[in-house]
Amino acid sequence: MSPAFASMKRAAEQPMQYAADWKARTGRKVVGLLPMHFPGELAHAAGCLPVVLQDDAEPVTVGQANVFNFYCGLNRSLIDQTMRGNFDGLDAIMFGDHCVQLLGTADVIRAERPSLPILFNQLCTTLDANWALRETLGTFEQLWKELEDLTGHEITTSSTLASIRLFNRSRAQMRRLYEMRRRGEIAISGRDMQTVVKSSMVMDRAEHVALMDELFAALPRQVGSSSDITVYLSGHMCHAPKPAIIDAIEESGARVVNDDLYVGWRFIHADMDESLPPIEAMARWYLDKNRKLPCPTRTMQGIDWEDYLLGEVERSQARGLIVLMVKFCEPHMYFYPEIKEAFDRAGIPHLLIETEHEEMPMEALKTRIETFVEIAKRRADSKAA
Amino acid sequence: MGSHVMDNVVAMTGSRPVFGTGERANKLKSTRFGSKLVNDYWNGVFAAKEEGKKVVWYNGTYIPPFFHSHDLVWVHGEAWSAMLAARHQEVGAQARGDQRGYDRELCSYARTHIGQMLIEMDKARAEGGAALEDPRMEAMMKLPPPDMIVNAYPYCSSGQQWDDITYRVFGKKVPMFTIQIPLLWGGRSDAGYMQGEEWHQRSRYVADQLIELTRFLEANTGRKFDFDRLSDTMGYIKKAAELRLEGMEMCKARPAPASFFDWIVSIAPMSFLPGDQNIVDYFQGVKEEITQRLLAGEGAVKNEKYRLFFDGMMNWNKVGWLADKFAQVNACVVAGRYTHMSFWQEPQLIDLKDPILGMAQNYLVCPNNHGAPIMIGEIEKHCDYYEIDGVVCHASRTCRGMTNSQFLIAGSAKKYGRQAMFFEGDVADESFYKDELLNVRLEAMVEAMEAKRRAA
Ligand code: SF4
Ligand code: SF4
């Protein structure tokens, strides 16, 4: 493991520890971000460390008194972590999303930590409405002011532009890594890819960018085993799937070539336009997101997640699709049947794995994945013949 | 949440729980008129196409005055699912949803409604081999298919996704309009119930979208929107809403002359029935009966000993059952978040000369469209006003819109010396309801209330 990667891994595994060290080092503020559409750029421009709040591996214990067990693992874990004091190092939380479960979580955090400011600015949910741009601009202007109040100093246009450039550069680096994997130039495991993206969500971006440069220099160029069957991973809109699940997929003779996971391609796929005034760049970035990668939490007529997936599976020459569905994730549950039917019609093998925050029966899961890989192989062979 | 409503619930014979004193709820008789109104309404819906009317499917808040004023027929998805559940006819629709792969943890209103759509499609295809575009399709479907879809969902993200699926089931052709009713988070220093910068800004935002809605309706019908007619319609609604609130306030009396369950069956008239003289008559009748009971000292629960507040979405499979259940332990559920904090709850905001802003504001004050502190503050006011002894939270399994703050609500109840309990169930999926759990917890709560009284 290269030293650069080892640093990323530390940050990804202990994000709040990383944030505490950063704060001690810089004396600046740490802002937690709830997924999934809010730009960290603004908090960065305000001189803060934006940290996308992650679920952690701990089972939900004290949190149970504040959240029902029919909420998704991210929400339950966030509440549990709040009550365990994990987020006590945060100076504020920025939050603008529309998943009903997250709204409840934010309220529990507010009740448990009344002195922690929550900068709630709800984004326009109808991306193609004729008022969407006006509203979104207003939302980000409001947030701009609130961050100024939080830090006590002005956020300048030039610092915001610099943050946008930095974040664009960071995303471009990670996309390059994705591209190399897709072309089979490097063998990077799904677990390691997750570490790369997750660490970018929680680290100082400039530091992450420097580590990425080191990583590229040290990456061994090798090709994945040609006997592996290529698969595409989809789902997990708000947080990272357990690495053990990705391991199980790869140990079953599959090679992940692409994904639309939040801790993955979804997080890095779109840049902000550096030629626009920063507020407008952010607004357009948000409003155009669905055209580039559809998100089931943001419906838009004429934009279909299943069509995107069919196209991407073909482009990345994946032989099958594995859907990782977070248990109790409503946006995903609505759209899964659409995906299933589209893939059935196209004759592309697909497998649904429902993931849980708690321990999962990995042995049974492995058997299912192995069967799926066998089917995908047979299908691929018969196509080739 | 939106306005989740149904027709008047017919008590199921033989569905009485054997529990407690065996006493049954003393229901208001005047609410029966609502059943007739609701039946007439649905018959109107089923006949819409024959009458050459255009049909809007909508989800969420009580926006029908816009449709009514524009001579459209409207179908409320939640009302449809709630009605199927109340009549115990939801199972088939849910099974069809399962078959297409909708997880049973998904909002059961949505699952039921979508399942029903799929069944209608299957039927039409099997009977006529018809494509969606085939004019015969319409005649074969019980629910007239939509000419337009309108979504106006406060708080719960599920609503917008549900409507997107409807749009897809109908071949992605039906024009759809989405109104965003944003959450009033209440984080700014001037925030309060119906006050502060956020309140004013959000009110304007929703009002602007409502004006856009009228343009959408004009564009899809080729007719001009009649704002005078909207004012007329709102005149009836405002009057009915005032009568309803007056009736509710009279239930401060002991024993309470009407219960939460009477207000539950009064949701349909307030939420989606046409804004005309009938709904005024309905609430006039309810108020008169309450007045008579008040004079006679007659309660909704015989021997009312405890007064409760009901939090959460209704369990539509169990309305009559639950009404009796509480009566059997001499507990009157006097008020609830769902009934007492929604559905034109602030009629004084509606200026009949220019009703749109006030309408927007009523949509915004939906009981869970506030961040928890303000919403819970409002619950506390209700509990104080009605002198509530305990809060019962229905943890409706698939409805996060209403379960979101329930731990905080239970916490606030306890803080003010009230008992609090949870029971499991769901809005429209009976399989999540556990009768034994409710029995045990309700008995324990009654004992605690009793002990507290003895100690006082
Ligand atoms: S979108 Fe899904 S995974 Fe994300 S918070 Fe909501 S329910 Fe959880
Ligand atoms: S989850 Fe609840 S609030 Fe949301 S759409 Fe369903 S019934 Fe309505």
Side-chain angles (χ1 to χ4, degrees), chain B residues 1 4 107 109 153 156 158-159 162 313 398-401:
Chain B
M1 67 132 235
H4 303 296
C107 166
Y109 270 168
Y153 230 104
C156 180
S158 227
W162 166 7
M313 194 63 91
T398 68
C399 174
R400 280 85 182 173

Side-chain angles (χ1 to χ4, degrees), chain A residues 100 330 334, chain B residues 1-2 4 78 106-110 153-160 162 313 368 396 398-402 427:
Chain A
V100 66
E330 296 157 293
Y334 275 108
Chain B
M1 67 132 235
H4 303 296
E78 294 110 299
L106 192 59
C107 166
S108 58
Y109 270 168
Y153 230 104
Y155 192 74
C156 180
S157 52
S158 227
Q160 197 174 339
W162 166 7
M313 194 63 91
N368 42 10
S396 45
T398 68
C399 174
R400 280 85 182 173
M402 284 298 263
V427 289

